[in-house]
Amino acid sequence: MSSRGFSVGEILGGKYRLCQLVGEGGMGSVWLGRHLLLDRACAVKLLGAGAGPLTAKRERFVREAKIAASVRHANVVDLFDFGETEGGEFFMVMEWLEGESLAERLARPPLMGMRELVSILSDVLSGLAAVHERGIVHRDLKPENIFLAREGDTIIPKLLDFGISRSSGWAGDAGLTAAGNTVGTPHYMSREQVRGVRDLDGRADLYSVGVILYRAACGRFPFDDDELTGLLMRVAEGEAPRLQPLHLDIGDGLVQVIDRALCSDRAGRFASALEMRRVLWAAAGSIPAGLPAVWGLPGSGLPFDSPGGAPAGSWGNTATDGSSTSVGMAHWRRLVPVGIALAVVGAALALTRH
């Protein structure tokens, strides 16, 4: 029995049997399920018991399902059903993935090569292009939300977790993500996302891709601080440090891609995910062979983001040895401290302008 009131063997919607609890957090739980008729494994995400029908929590869950179902792309996790239990709890059913998150892969030996990372992020950008074409901004793009699904001998990157995505396509979305109520993972947030601008667009996600590349290139985040408010203020008011003057031996083409993606003024970034993908792919040839992704150096942790320790960003089996049955799931963000810090940043910015 899980702390949310669901148990192994329970059948949802007359079709899905709950087989194993993957994990749970503030928004509910994720289970390994099985379609009774098709005998097919799936990931079942449950909002959880006790959520009232009119709460923003339920509205956000429904919106996440609509967004995930609206995008059909090889590099975006596939949602194929949505329902409600007899007790009134919502659930969504998604493809079950075998593999690990990009965060897990970057954190374990052997070190990933930069060329391999560029290949993965090129696929991610392809998926992002499909997401952006639907008028959706992911808003929480980070290694924990990129899953490296194994299909035979092939690795297919998949975008996960549209729980805080923003879309211009559905009524009521603006109320859930109003200006000034920005959420996300601080180290990966662009200037406009930190400032909570109303017309946020896909270039915020491209900035996040730039952050991943930056950290992989030099082992640090573009902005960091011992305090959350300080970090947000740096992002909101500062200019991202450029790699160009550091003369890193990662290839001039890659340096230029990263510097452009991290432009604080979004007008200076790539105009689209497909443009960034094209330029990034062209830069791959100039990356020295065997160059490792320098990830996780001392002092490059995530003190304000999802807690470390357990596997993150998973809709499937994260075992890498082919025998373990351990499974992991994304930690749901604790957004209250971020919201408070953003309010402080907003007030400080307002004072500096008067």
Side-chain angles (χ1 to χ4, degrees):
M1 176 76 71
S2 84
S3 63
R4 312 295 298 185
F6 303 100
S7 58
V8 172
E10 188 169 349
I11 298 175
L12 306 182
K15 292 189 291 185
Y16 304 102
R17 184 188 303 277
L18 298 182
C19 300
Q20 180 181 351
L21 178 65
V22 174
E24 53 192 339
M27 285 294 292
S29 57
V30 176
W31 291 74
L32 164 62
R34 185 160 292 276
H35 192 289
L36 295 178
L37 179 61
L38 301 178
D39 194 27
R40 175 188 180 187
C42 56
V44 181
K45 183 174 181 179
L46 285 145
L47 178 59
L54 299 179
T55 63
K57 186 177 178 181
R58 284 171 66 95
E59 293 175 21
R60 192 179 297 278
F61 192 79
V62 171
R63 184 191 60 175
E64 177 184 358
K66 288 181 177 180
I67 288 174
S70 73
V71 182
R72 298 300 301 272
H73 192 279
N75 299 118
V76 179
V77 66
D78 186 23
L79 182 146
F80 51 83
D81 204 355
F82 184 88
E84 188 173 357
T85 69
E86 292 183 357
E89 299 91 3
F90 287 157
F91 66 90
M92 65 178 77
V93 184
M94 311 178 87
E95 61 179 321
W96 180 256
L97 304 175
E98 299 284 343
E100 62 185 333
S101 72
L102 178 58
E104 292 170 296
R105 175 61 191 89
L106 286 167
R108 69 167 176 82
L111 292 176
M112 174 180 283
M114 282 296 293
R115 287 188 178 182
E116 181 182 359
L117 178 60
V118 165
S119 177
I120 288 169
L121 293 179
S122 293
D123 287 342
V124 168
L125 287 165
S126 181
L128 271 179
V131 170
H132 294 165
E133 284 175 6
R134 301 290 298 177
I136 300 162
V137 186
H138 190 285
R139 298 204 305 168
D140 198 22
L141 187 65
K142 57 186 177 182
E144 288 81 358
N145 286 337
I146 298 170
F147 196 85
L148 306 181
R150 293 196 307 270
E151 295 189 8
D153 295 330
T154 304
I155 298 296
I156 302 178
K158 300 267 189 177
L159 281 171
L160 301 178
D161 198 352
F162 291 87
I164 66 168
S165 299
R166 182 171 183 175
S167 170
S168 59
W170 289 291
D173 189 59
L176 289 172
T177 55
N181 293 331
T182 306
V183 291
T185 302
H187 282 95
Y188 295 91
M189 291 166 65
S190 64
R191 170 183 286 183
E192 66 271 19
Q193 190 172 352
V194 167
R195 291 182 172 183
V197 302
R198 191 176 297 277
D199 63 338
L200 196 73
D201 61 32
R203 288 172 292 183
D205 292 336
L206 304 187
Y207 177 93
S208 301
V209 175
V211 173
I212 296 172
L213 287 168
Y214 185 100
R215 188 183 180 196
C218 66
R220 298 286 187 271
F221 287 103
F223 295 101
D224 212 344
D225 197 277
D226 291 335
E227 300 292 335
L228 174 57
T229 302
L231 169 60
L232 295 172
M233 285 292 293
R234 287 176 182 270
V235 176
E237 291 293 282
E239 292 293 334
R242 296 294 187 237
L243 288 178
Q244 194 81 47
L246 299 182
H247 302 293
L248 295 177
D249 186 21
I250 62 174
D252 291 341
L254 182 57
V255 168
Q256 292 170 17
V257 169
I258 297 172
D259 284 348
R260 184 174 173 186
L262 292 180
C263 185
S264 294
D265 181 356
R266 58 183 169 177
R269 296 177 209 148
F270 297 96
S272 69
L274 288 181
E275 181 191 8
M276 184 174 179
R277 182 180 187 274
R278 177 179 57 79
V279 179
L280 179 60
W281 193 251
S286 67
I287 300 173
L291 180 71
V294 187
W295 193 268
L297 292 178
S300 63
L302 295 170
F304 314 120
D305 302 324
S306 300
S314 167
W315 289 111
N317 191 348
T318 60
T320 57
D321 61 1
S323 59
S324 172
T325 58
S326 66
V327 288
M329 62 166 288
H331 295 290
W332 280 292
R333 291 156 298 281
R334 293 175 172 86
L335 297 177
V336 173
V338 178
I340 295 173
L342 285 166
V344 172
V345 171
L349 291 173
L351 289 173
T352 59
R353 295 190 178 103
H354 290 83

